Amino acid sequence: MLSSERIRVLGKADGAVPEPVPVFDDATPAVANLDPALLGALRAAAADAAADGVRIFVNGGWRSPEYQEQLLRRAVSKYGSPEEAARWVATPGTSAHVSGDAVDIGRAEARAWLSKHGARYGLCQIYRNEPWHYELRPEAVEQGCPPMYADPSHDPRMWR
């Protein structure tokens, strides 16, 4: 590497969430940059969950393409191949996190609450292997959440 080259450190501004944050945290880009409809549904759910004594925290939300690429590279290293990594991490071009259309929910009690009540708000778990990953499916309010994919590698949106 040339001495004039710099490695860009990716952090909170790129969507990293080092510590879980409340869904009402507008100062955290991972929350503030979520799609407004998703964020509205999430906040409505969080208000109702709080009435049940459950606090909903975000472990991940919007991510920059650079941060998503970094997560993908780490997953390839961890799982040994791009095919195995695809079961856990999408490419920047296909990730619902990069578009602000996905949120990862922290704390087991919040995930359990959303699993039971999320469809009322259009919030659905999308992947069976990722109980923390939720996306907005407005039709779920009337029809219930759609069947889950086994993992992201089974999601046709990832085949672009």
Side-chain angles (χ1 to χ4, degrees):
M1 175 190 310
L2 299 174
S3 60
S4 63
E5 286 185 71
R6 291 190 156 164
I7 296 174
R8 184 165 172 252
V9 176
L10 302 175
K12 190 174 177 180
D14 292 287
V17 183
E19 297 287 328
V21 296
V23 299
F24 298 98
D25 183 347
D26 288 327
T28 299
V31 175
N33 292 338
L34 287 172
D35 174 79
L38 171 60
L39 186 56
L42 187 60
R43 288 179 170 174
D48 290 347
D52 289 340
V54 175
R55 291 188 66 201
I56 296 180
F57 287 85
V58 173
N59 283 351
W62 168 85
R63 297 176 186 148
S64 71
E66 297 81 12
Y67 184 51
Q68 187 68 27
E69 180 65 34
Q70 183 181 75
L71 294 174
L72 181 58
R73 283 193 312 268
R74 287 180 186 165
V76 170
S77 178
K78 179 178 180 176
Y79 297 109
S81 72
E83 294 77 23
E84 281 301 306
R87 295 184 59 234
W88 301 98
V89 180
T91 67
T94 61
S95 174
H97 286 283
V98 171
S99 63
D101 295 317
V103 64
D104 293 342
I105 301 301
R107 298 191 178 169
E109 66 273 9
R111 291 191 300 268
W113 192 93
L114 274 180
S115 179
K116 184 175 180 181
H117 303 287
R120 284 191 229 161
Y121 309 89
L123 297 170
C124 297
Q125 182 185 339
I126 302 301
Y127 306 119
R128 206 170 307 118
N129 72 327
E130 295 186 6
W132 54 84
H133 181 101
Y134 279 79
E135 296 181 23
L136 184 63
R137 297 291 185 268
E139 66 280 3
V141 174
E142 297 289 325
Q143 303 168 8
C145 289
M148 286 183 254
Y149 297 108
D151 61 56
S153 69
H154 290 88
D155 183 342
R157 298 176 300 169
M158 303 301 135
W159 303 342
R160 297 185 245 158

